[in-house]
Amino acid sequence: MNTIVYYLVFSLWWLLSLLPWRLHYVLSDAVLYPLFRFVLRYRRRLVRENLATSFPDKSTEELRRIEARFYHWLCDYFVELIKQASMSREDILRHMEFVGVDECVADFKASSQPLCVVYLAHYANWEWFTAFSSLVPKEHVAAQIYHPLHNKAMDRILLRNRSICGAPSFTMNETLRAVLTHRREGRPLYLGCIADQSPKANALHHWMPWLNHDTAVITGSETIGQKVGAIYYYVDVERVKRGYYRATMRRLEAPSDAHPAADDAPVSKFPMTEAYMNAVAESIERDPALWLWTHRRWKHKRQQTQ
């Protein structure tokens, strides 16, 4: 039954993806935007709460403008996700410019490490970064961590989208084994991961101040990197114009306070995770409307771990 549902859903998805770009954005503006923001009010209370607590210095008017632009972007993200089903590698590369890939590759080679952790965020358009796998040397492998969806049909569709350019996908449970396998075989691995959302309740291992909140962060990728040796990059995605993005590779370095001068000062156990989260915050502050505010990012409180 799941297979039948998948083919039915995917057939409709594929047909919609064949519409011209102009019609996709008409669908976004004329149908999805009023539906999500005003009819369904899709998580609107949560969006407003997240924005207000993250930017306490902004006026209600400013926050409403960000909210409106956020829903416009979210609807565009949905139609771009649909369009991806019939996009080729060349199509994606026309719509997402990659900056700094050669420098990243050279840096990775020079490091002699087996792993390059490539952090992304739920910001702008993270789906089209899958084309990165076609830009690295043939002797290197670019893969991505993904979290399976409860809806099996949607899970298969998204996995298909993300494999357009040949990038393999690992669940978090499979990742360490895959990293160790690639290290043993001598194949350098770029591991794409999105770690800006809330960790599971049993993984509240590290907290940091972030967007005006005491925030629990996901540390799994850095934990793997600490086990095998790694360098770390952040993909700073900018929206150039509607349907076009620029993904800039930026090397991450530990924050200065990760190695305090005072002998008795605390040392961060996850400095690269903190550097990543700080980089995400900079992207969000540049344009707050392009981050996924519909997530219950701060549902956990520190006292839960005490």
Side-chain angles (χ1 to χ4, degrees), residues 50-67:
N50 283 342
L51 285 171
T53 54
S54 297
F55 303 108
D57 295 334
K58 293 187 183 297
S59 67
T60 300
E61 182 180 355
E62 288 178 294
L63 294 174
R64 290 296 180 271
R65 284 199 296 268
I66 295 172
E67 176 190 317

Side-chain angles (χ1 to χ4, degrees), residues 79-293:
V79 298
E80 289 167 5
L81 190 62
I82 293 171
K83 185 67 176 175
Q84 187 173 342
S86 59
M87 292 175 74
S88 65
R89 167 189 176 274
E90 291 72 24
D91 291 332
I92 295 176
L93 289 174
R94 276 194 292 271
H95 285 265
M96 177 166 277
E97 174 191 4
F98 287 81
V99 178
V101 173
D102 291 344
E103 291 81 355
C104 175
V105 170
D107 192 16
F108 191 18
K109 288 180 177 179
S111 73
S112 299
Q113 299 287 7
L115 178 65
C116 177
V117 175
V118 181
Y119 284 112
L120 293 94
H122 289 93
Y123 186 86
N125 186 323
W126 56 92
E127 298 292 345
W128 292 351
F129 186 75
T130 186
F132 171 79
S133 63
S134 66
L135 301 178
V136 302
K138 291 183 179 180
E139 66 272 17
H140 291 196
V141 178
Q144 53 207 346
I145 301 175
Y146 89 103
H147 300 280
L149 301 178
H150 293 298
N151 185 306
K152 300 301 182 183
M154 286 300 302
D155 189 58
R156 289 181 66 179
I157 289 172
L158 291 182
L159 275 176
R160 180 194 174 280
N161 272 7
R162 292 169 184 175
S163 65
I164 287 173
C165 300
S169 296
F170 310 131
T171 66
M172 195 63 207
N173 291 336
E174 299 169 334
T175 299
L176 179 57
R177 186 184 312 115
V179 169
L180 293 173
T181 297
H182 282 80
R183 184 179 68 170
R184 185 173 63 251
E185 296 174 352
R187 293 186 295 166
L189 176 65
Y190 303 84
L191 185 63
C193 56
I194 300 179
D196 59 336
Q197 302 281 268
S198 183
K200 294 182 178 180
N202 62 354
L204 303 177
H205 306 310
H206 193 66
W207 297 75
M208 64 178 288
W210 192 72
L211 289 186
N212 199 47
H213 295 82
D214 188 26
T215 304
V217 294
I218 296 172
T219 59
S221 297
E222 185 172 2
T223 298
I224 292 173
Q226 290 172 351
K227 290 179 183 295
V228 302
I231 65 171
Y232 299 82
Y233 268 78
Y234 171 61
V235 184
D236 187 9
V237 181
E238 301 170 86
R239 194 183 200 192
V240 178
K241 61 180 180 179
R242 204 172 202 185
Y244 291 86
Y245 300 86
R246 180 184 299 112
T248 302
M249 310 291 294
R250 302 192 188 282
R251 176 72 185 261
L252 287 177
E253 303 291 349
S256 58
D257 59 354
H259 305 289
D263 293 339
D264 58 346
V267 177
S268 173
K269 294 180 180 179
F270 300 101
M272 303 314 302
T273 299
E274 292 189 7
Y276 157 66
M277 293 298 291
N278 289 336
V280 176
E282 290 178 7
S283 297
I284 293 171
E285 288 163 3
R286 182 180 65 223
D287 191 344
L290 301 183
W291 192 60
L292 196 60
W293 296 102

Side-chain angles (χ1 to χ4, degrees), residues 28-39:
S28 176
D29 289 339
V31 179
L32 295 184
Y33 176 74
L35 178 66
F36 276 82
R37 190 179 182 205
F38 298 114
V39 179

